[in-house]
Amino acid sequence: MQPRRPTRPVFIGDARTGIFQVGGGLPGRDGVPTSPAPVSVQTMTAGYTHDIDACVREIHKLSAAGADMVRVAVPEKKDTDALRHILPQVQVPIVADVHFHFQRALEAVEAGVHKIRLNPGNIQDREQVVEVIRACKAANHGKGIPIRVGVNEGSIIERKDKQKRMKELGAVFSNHAHGYLLAIMIAKLEEYLDIFYEEEFHDICISAKSMDAAIVVDAYSEISKRFEHPLHLGVTHAGPKETGCIRSIAALSALLCNGVGDTIRISYANDPVYEVQDGLELLWSLGLRTRKGVDLIACPTCGRIQVDLFTLVQDVRKALEEKVTVPMKVAVMGCIVNGPGEAEGADVAVFAGDRRGIIYVQGQKVANVPEPEILERLLAECLAFQDRVMQGAAKLGEKKVDIIPPDPVGELGSGWEKIAAGMVTQAGGQPTKLTVGRT
C-alpha cells in the first residue's frame, strides 16, 4: 500500500448532519495543516427526489447502511423544491446531482444542500458556471459548500455540434483512442477549473469516470498528478452487481492501493444499499477504514466437507450481522485440513468434521458440538467474546494458544475416508497408519 496522496481538504455537512472531511494532507483554505481523512463512501438514491417521503426513507436506509453522503437527482424544479422538505428530515449530507440546467444548482443551494455536482459535458456556459460558483461560495452562512466537477466518458465528447462530435469520436476511435480520450478529459477539466480558480474557489472534488476499468485507472492516475483536489473514484455504468462488483473493484482497488482516491462510489444497476455495503467492505479489506462488525472468513469448500457449509456460512453471517458490533474476526472452516491453520488468526473459529464442529475462541477449544448445534453455540461464543472485549477483559486479535489440528480419525472423524490411506501425524506427534474403510 502506498501512502495517501495529499490533497486540499474539503468539508461537507452542517451542524445537524455533522461535518466530515474529504481528502486532506495539504493546508486548508485557512492555512491550517491537515491530515488525510479516511476514504468516504457515498451512493445515490434510485427513486424520484420529488417523491419526498420515499426519498427520505431511502436516504435513511442508505445512511443506516453506512453511507457518508447521499446524492440525489434534481432534473426538475419539483425536485429542488422537494429538497426543502427532505433536508430537515435526514442526518447525512446530501449532494445535488445537476445536469444541463444550472438553475437546478442555484435552487438546490438555496434549499440548503451540502454539495453540488456539475458536469462540464452539459453545463458549459461560463456565466452560468460562475453564477453557481458564487452561490456555493456564499452558501452555508458564508462558509461555502463544495462542488464536485465530474466528467464522464459518456458526456465528455461534444454532443451539440454534430460535425464536432464526429471529429471527436473519430479521434477517440483511432489507433490512439485511449490516449486521446484521456487528453479530452484532462483538457476539459483544466478549462473548467480555470473558471473556479479565477473566482478563487478551491472547495472542489474531481471525478473522471468511464465504464472501462482500465481507462478509470489511467484517468485518475494522470489527474492525480495534475490537480491537488480530492478525487471521487467510480466506474460509471458498471452493470449488474454480479459483474459490476468485479469491474468496480478492479479499478478502485488498483487506485486506492497506490494512494489515489478520497471518496468512492461503487455503482450498480441494483439497490444502492449494495453499493454502500461493498464500498465499505473494499475499504475495510484494504485497511483504509476501521471495520464495524464481524470480519467473516470461510473456506471455499471442496470434496472434504461433511457439513452443509454454504447454509452455515450464510446463517452465521446473518446472525452476527444483527448482533455483533465489535470488529472481531470469525472463521467458519469446512474441514481439518486447512481449517486449523486458517483459523489461527481468528478471534472465534469453528471447523467442521463428520457432522460436527469444534469451536475455538482465540485458539482455545471451547466446544465440540453436533452439526445442528453449531450455529447456536458459535453465536453464543461470539456474543460472550464481544462482551469480554467491551468490558476490557479481552482484546481483539490476541491469540492465546496455537490451534492443534484434531486427529483425523478421532473426535471429528473428518476425512478418514477421503484424506487417503497412509501415514498421518496425529496430535500426539506419532505417525499412524490409516486403514481405509469402516470397521
Side-chain angles (χ1 to χ4, degrees), residues 67-349:
D68 296 302
M69 66 182 109
V70 176
R71 184 156 42 111
V72 298
V74 288
E76 301 181 59
K77 190 175 187 302
K78 60 183 177 181
D79 297 304
T80 51
D81 288 342
L83 287 174
R84 298 180 183 276
H85 305 282
I86 292 169
L87 290 168
Q89 300 185 61
V90 299
Q91 287 75 47
V92 64
I94 301 300
V95 183
D97 195 54
V98 180
H99 296 272
F100 299 108
H101 305 293
F102 83 103
Q103 295 94 337
R104 301 290 87 81
L106 300 177
E107 294 158 5
V109 172
E110 181 67 24
V113 78
H114 304 103
K115 183 180 177 183
I116 294 291
R117 182 273 174 108
L118 293 181
N119 186 340
N122 53 48
I123 299 182
Q124 300 177 344
D125 183 274
R126 187 182 188 88
E127 292 183 1
Q128 294 177 356
V129 175
V130 168
E131 196 168 347
V132 173
I133 292 171
R134 291 176 178 174
C136 289
K137 199 171 183 179
N140 193 22
H141 308 292
K143 297 177 183 177
I145 62 172
I147 298 173
R148 171 161 71 94
V149 176
V151 297
N152 284 350
E153 178 186 359
S155 63
I156 200 66
I157 297 174
E158 179 62 46
R159 293 179 178 273
K160 296 178 181 178
D161 185 318
K162 188 173 293 185
Q163 294 301 317
K164 187 174 182 180
R165 172 167 170 74
M166 290 176 63
K167 181 179 179 181
E168 288 187 343
L169 279 172
V172 169
F173 292 106
S174 69
N175 292 333
H176 301 286
H178 192 179
Y180 193 60
L181 179 59
L182 295 180
I184 294 175
M185 284 184 166
I186 292 170
K188 292 278 189 181
L189 278 172
E190 290 174 340
E191 179 183 11
Y192 213 65
L193 290 177
D194 279 345
I195 305 174
F196 288 73
Y197 300 154
E198 288 173 10
E199 292 294 318
E200 297 185 349
F201 188 93
H202 297 280
D203 290 340
I204 302 164
C205 293
I206 297 175
S207 64
K209 299 184 181 182
S210 168
M211 66 190 74
D212 185 309
I215 292 177
V216 168
V217 173
D218 287 347
Y220 281 103
S221 297
E222 291 300 322
I223 288 169
S224 70
K225 301 172 186 176
R226 291 169 168 78
F227 305 101
E228 56 184 21
H229 303 293
L231 298 183
H232 165 119
L233 305 186
V235 176
T236 191
H237 310 308
K241 185 180 187 303
E242 293 78 8
T243 55
C245 62
I246 304 300
R247 193 190 307 267
S248 293
I249 298 304
L252 271 56
S253 60
L255 290 164
L256 291 168
C257 285
N258 281 293
V260 175
D262 304 283
T263 181
I264 66 171
R265 180 193 177 190
I266 293 180
S267 301
Y268 295 145
N270 208 318
D271 187 333
V273 164
Y274 296 129
E275 300 181 354
V276 179
Q277 292 173 344
D278 291 355
L280 286 170
E281 184 60 43
L282 169 61
L283 298 179
W284 291 336
S285 298
L286 294 176
L288 293 172
R289 288 278 288 264
T290 301
R291 182 178 290 276
K292 295 180 180 179
V294 168
D295 182 6
L296 179 62
I297 60 174
C299 67
T301 78
C302 67
R304 290 187 297 268
I305 62 171
Q306 292 177 288
V307 297
D308 183 0
L309 193 70
F310 291 145
T311 301
L312 177 61
V313 169
Q314 291 304 318
D315 288 345
V316 169
R317 181 186 64 81
K318 292 175 183 176
L320 299 183
E321 191 174 64
E322 297 171 356
K323 299 182 178 181
V324 174
T325 57
V326 301
M328 69 173 69
K329 182 173 287 187
V330 177
V332 180
M333 312 307 292
C335 78
I336 66 168
V337 174
N338 295 319
E342 294 182 16
E344 282 280 355
D347 295 299
V348 182

Side-chain angles (χ1 to χ4, degrees), residues 7-80:
T7 73
R8 288 174 175 266
V10 166
F11 298 92
I12 301 170
D14 55 29
R16 182 176 48 79
T17 64
I19 300 172
F20 73 94
Q21 177 183 316
V22 175
L26 298 177
R29 59 183 175 183
D30 55 2
V32 176
T34 62
S35 298
V39 178
S40 57
V41 174
Q42 56 183 284
T43 186
M44 189 170 183
T45 55
Y48 296 115
T49 305
H50 60 259
D51 187 347
I52 296 170
D53 291 341
C55 187
V56 169
R57 285 195 299 272
E58 187 173 14
I59 292 171
H60 285 328
K61 183 175 71 169
L62 297 171
S63 176
D68 296 302
M69 66 182 109
V70 176
R71 184 156 42 111
V72 298
V74 288
E76 301 181 59
K77 190 175 187 302
K78 60 183 177 181
D79 297 304
T80 51

